[in-house]
Amino acid sequence: MNLKNKQIVFIGAGNMAEALVAGILRAGIAVPESVRVTDVRADRREHVEGQYGVSAGADNRAAVRDADIVVLSVKPQIMGEVLEELKGAASGNPLFISIAAGLSTRHIEQALGGTARVVRVMPNMPALVGCGAAALCGGAHAADEDLAVTEALLGAVGITARVEERVMDAVTALSGSGPAYVFYLMEAMQNAASRMGLDSETAKRLAAATVEGAARAVRETGLPPEELRRRVTSPGGTTEAALKVLSGGKFVETMIEAMEAARRRAEEMSGR
Ligand SMILES: NC(=O)c1ccc[n+]([C@@H]2O[C@H](COP(=O)([O-])OP(=O)(O)OC[C@H]3O[C@@H](n4cnc5c(N)ncnc54)[C@H](OP(=O)(O)O)[C@@H]3O)[C@@H](O)[C@H]2O)c1
């Protein structure tokens, strides 16, 4: 999809907004002349402007006046005041894409005045290296085209999946918080290898390549992880010995409990 003739505005020029700006320009779906960012911090404005050739300012209301797409990329706790400020500021009827964790489309629609076109996205941190996983859902007034535009934008920094809003907290527990579970696993594997005598740099490289390789094997073969696990687990072999310890330590049950805790916390944070 070509967004070159769309005025795209990012409210909040932090890590996520920068990743998206870099991604859409790199993918060639947008041009710097039609991208604008705002931030309360001069250093962020100067950095993003200097690095990507987009325009930057501090005035949120002025920035969205002629916008076609407004990406709401401030922290959730700031979003209330930003939405209040943006209410009625656009001359047309732009698409609002919120990447703020936990805020419902209904909440954003109401804060903007009722009939705003809103798409809610749950992105994740590896978007910063162009390898994100984002789930998205449309609000009451979002058209299919709005979801397609959002997919194009987020698709520039990773994969996307359309979901129903009721499962957004589950997505938060899976792919939103998920990178930290994998970092934790890598830390543990690395520490265990160091205890067995590997130097930590080699352990880190081997652990990272192992996680990346396993993830690519799932994506590229299309096989379920269980099947791939069976294929690398010879009866009586080393992998089987390790997996027995993991299942004895209630690995699966622990993961379910951990993700339930993340989902509950997401619910609490969104006021439900
Ligand atoms: N980073 C992630 O891994 C991740 C993952 C999933 C979802 N998200 C979501 O993505 C959103 C952005 O996250 P981020 O990590 O990019 O945050 P961030 O780096 O803190 O970026 C937000 C930027 O907006 C600025 N800002 C604050 N108030 C503002 C205002 N009124 N108008 C304009 N700019 C304002 C902030 O300045 P100050 O620093 O001075 O406040 C900061 O520079 C959040 O809603 C978060 O929930 C992030």
Side-chain angles (χ1 to χ4, degrees):
M1 179 177 288
N2 187 346
L3 304 176
K4 286 179 184 159
N5 58 353
K6 305 269 189 210
Q7 292 296 317
I8 308 173
V9 178
F10 291 83
I11 303 294
N15 292 314
M16 272 292 162
E18 181 175 353
L20 284 167
V21 168
I24 57 176
L25 296 178
R26 193 173 47 229
I29 56 173
V31 287
E33 298 74 46
S34 60
V35 176
R36 183 166 182 79
V37 302
T38 68
D39 205 289
V40 286
R41 287 171 49 177
D43 62 328
R44 290 304 302 167
R45 297 197 297 271
E46 280 157 24
H47 169 74
V48 177
E49 191 170 34
Q51 195 75 22
Y52 305 100
V54 300
S55 62
D59 187 339
N60 290 339
R61 280 187 72 82
V64 303
R65 191 167 304 128
D66 299 316
D68 298 300
I69 302 167
V70 179
V71 183
L72 301 165
S73 45
V74 292
K75 294 275 188 217
Q77 57 272 29
I78 310 285
M79 196 63 97
E81 65 185 71
V82 165
L83 293 174
E84 181 73 22
E85 192 184 2
L86 295 183
K87 191 175 176 180
S91 56
N93 180 23
L95 163 62
F96 288 89
I97 299 174
S98 165
I99 62 167
L103 295 184
S104 70
T105 53
R106 199 173 136 80
H107 173 91
I108 297 166
E109 283 158 8
Q110 284 177 344
L112 286 169
T115 56
R117 289 153 55 209
V118 177
V119 174
R120 173 181 171 192
V121 179
M122 182 65 217
N124 73 358
M125 175 270 176
L128 306 186
V129 293
C131 215
L136 53 105
C137 62
H141 311 286
D144 201 57
E145 170 75 7
D146 296 329
L147 290 164
V149 164
T150 309
E151 282 169 337
L153 236 143
L154 270 298
V157 292
I159 67 132
T160 61
R162 286 190 195 191
V163 299
E164 286 184 38
E165 189 154 15
R166 64 182 173 80
V167 297
M168 268 301 195
D169 292 331
V171 166
T172 304
L174 175 64
S175 50
S177 300
Y181 317 153
V182 180
F183 297 143
Y184 199 30
L185 174 70
M186 287 167 72
E187 266 174 74
M189 286 168 69
Q190 214 178 298
N191 288 339
S194 295
R195 287 168 61 144
M196 294 174 190
L198 248 78
D199 70 89
S200 63
E201 191 49 39
T202 306
K204 184 172 99 181
R205 284 180 57 225
L206 290 174
T210 301
V211 169
E212 190 176 356
R216 277 186 62 179
V218 171
R219 287 174 70 176
E220 290 177 21
T221 62
L223 291 168
E226 307 88 279
E227 172 59 24
L228 291 168
R229 173 168 55 81
R230 264 195 293 276
R231 288 187 188 186
V232 295
T233 311
S234 323
T238 57
T239 311
E240 189 185 67
L243 290 174
K244 265 188 189 151
V245 175
L246 286 177
S247 64
K250 307 221 174 303
F251 181 78
V252 174
E253 294 83 345
T254 305
M255 187 50 79
I256 292 170
E257 227 179 281
M259 286 180 55
E260 286 290 358
R263 190 174 59 89
R264 273 197 308 277
R265 186 71 192 119
E267 274 173 17
E268 282 164 17
M269 287 168 69
S270 57
R272 271 168 295 128

